[in-house]
């Protein structure tokens, strides 16, 4: 059986996986979820958060496992798992990008989000440079993240979202073929995504192909709206 390490996206926390975790465990796998610094219940001050601190948090979890893990990143976490694979390649069995950013060397999340003009997140992002954080207004989060999600899940998420530290969004990844490039990559596309649009996902995959690509008929948060399908695709992919 495998160990899945699940990394949430921007604004979210480990709570986002609450429907996925029991289904993976029922299938006989071990699952670890993470609150990134300044997310979920983590109390790290925003000004102390960097891309490196995200990577260190994930790396510590990977090193605590007995065998290489399947590292799953949603949305922004695509950047984090990419950089993590550069430093911890031997600890990772497979990288899985769940409707996530798939950055090439030298690019940051912002480089991709700026060009995705149809993204509801791009159109509504509120940046507070003095506080070093960004957010999406509640009035836009439903359309951006939860288009096919139930009302209880939307309300739950809106009550738990936290401002996103800017540092992790603007820092470019630094990767090499020998480290990051040595780890198998799987991409799970979401064809109803309004945060990272299908067109943006396609362009990233053309620039940096993955070993496997699977498509989900879902919005940006299939861990809420289609957890059974997410688990099915994870098990098929690995």
């Amino acid at each position: 059986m495998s160990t899945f390490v699940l990394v949430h996206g921007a604004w979210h926390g480990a709570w986002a996986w609450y429907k996925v975790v029991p289904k993976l465990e029922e299938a006989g796998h071990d699952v670890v979820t993470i609150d990134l610094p300044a997310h979920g219940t983590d109390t790290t001050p925003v000004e102390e958060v960097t891309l490196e601190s995200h990577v260190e948090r994930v790396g510590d979890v990977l090193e605590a496992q007995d065998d290489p893990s399947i590292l799953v990143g949603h949305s922004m976490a695509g950047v984090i798992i990419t950089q993590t694979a550069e430093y911890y390649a031997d600890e990772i069995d497979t990288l899985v990008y769940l409707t996530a950013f798939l950055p090439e060397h030298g690019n940051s999340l912002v480089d991709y989000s700026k060009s995705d003009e149809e993204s509801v997140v791009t159109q509504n992002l509120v940046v507070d440079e003095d506080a070093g954080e960004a957010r999406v207004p509640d009035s836009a989060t439903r359309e951006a993240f939860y288009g096919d999600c139930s009302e209880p899940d939307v309300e739950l998420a809106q009550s738990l979202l936290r401002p996103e530290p800017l540092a992790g969004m603007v820092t470019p990844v630094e990767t090499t073929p020998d480290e990051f490039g040595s780890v198998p990559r799987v991409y799970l596309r979401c064809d109803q995504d309004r945060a990272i649009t299908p067109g943006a996902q396609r362009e990233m995959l053309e620039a940096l192909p993955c070993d496997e690509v699977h498509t989900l008929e879902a919005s940006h948060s299939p861990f809420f709206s289609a957890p059974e399908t997410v688990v099915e695709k994870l098990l098929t992919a690995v």
Side-chain angles (χ1 to χ4, degrees):
M1 295 294 103
S2 301
T3 297
F4 288 83
V5 176
L6 309 181
V7 187
H8 63 81
W11 300 289
H12 289 69
W15 50 265
W17 304 104
Y18 84 95
K19 292 184 178 181
V20 171
V21 171
K23 297 182 185 302
L24 284 173
E25 291 177 338
E26 288 168 7
H29 301 282
D30 293 327
V31 187
V32 183
T33 60
I34 301 171
D35 274 332
L36 293 170
H39 294 77
T41 60
D42 184 84
T43 58
T44 304
V46 168
E47 61 270 18
E48 295 180 10
V49 177
T50 64
L51 178 57
E52 290 295 322
S53 68
H54 288 327
V55 170
E56 289 175 5
R57 177 69 54 86
V58 178
D60 287 344
V61 171
L62 293 173
E63 290 185 327
Q65 310 311 310
D66 294 332
D67 298 300
S69 302
I70 298 152
L71 183 58
V72 182
H74 172 250
S75 194
M76 177 197 73
V79 175
I80 296 167
I81 68 171
T82 294
Q83 191 62 72
T84 301
E86 179 65 21
Y87 299 150
Y88 299 89
D90 291 342
E91 307 292 341
I92 303 170
D93 177 274
T94 306
L95 293 170
V96 181
Y97 294 80
L98 176 58
T99 196
F101 290 100
L102 180 64
E104 294 181 275
H105 169 76
N107 289 342
S108 69
L109 182 154
V110 169
D111 293 325
Y112 295 95
S113 63
K114 282 184 176 179
S115 62
D116 191 3
E117 296 180 354
E118 296 183 2
S119 165
V120 176
V121 174
T122 300
Q123 295 171 358
N124 289 274
L125 191 67
V126 178
V127 176
D128 185 340
E129 293 186 359
D130 292 336
E133 60 188 31
R135 63 183 181 86
V136 177
D138 284 347
S139 59
T141 55
R142 182 188 302 273
E143 182 182 6
F145 303 138
Y146 314 117
D148 59 348
C149 299
S150 69
E151 186 65 26
D153 280 334
V154 174
E155 292 179 357
L156 171 68
Q158 289 179 333
S159 72
L160 295 173
L161 295 174
R162 292 180 59 182
E164 183 62 35
L166 288 175
M169 303 174 73
V170 301
T171 304
V173 298
E174 298 181 0
T175 56
T176 63
D178 289 342
E179 300 299 334
F180 164 73
S182 70
V183 182
R185 300 189 297 272
V186 174
Y187 199 96
L188 303 182
R189 301 180 58 202
C190 287
D191 63 4
Q192 299 171 25
D193 198 332
R194 300 296 307 281
I196 305 175
T197 63
Q201 295 174 56
R202 182 174 60 252
E203 290 178 3
M204 289 186 292
L205 283 163
E206 290 173 351
L208 186 60
C210 292
D211 299 279
E212 295 183 30
V213 179
H214 302 268
T215 300
L216 289 69
E217 296 181 3
S219 68
H220 191 62
S221 301
F223 40 79
F224 283 161
S225 63
E228 296 88 354
T229 304
V230 171
V231 171
E232 174 190 346
K233 296 299 184 183
L234 288 176
L235 298 179
T236 299
V238 302

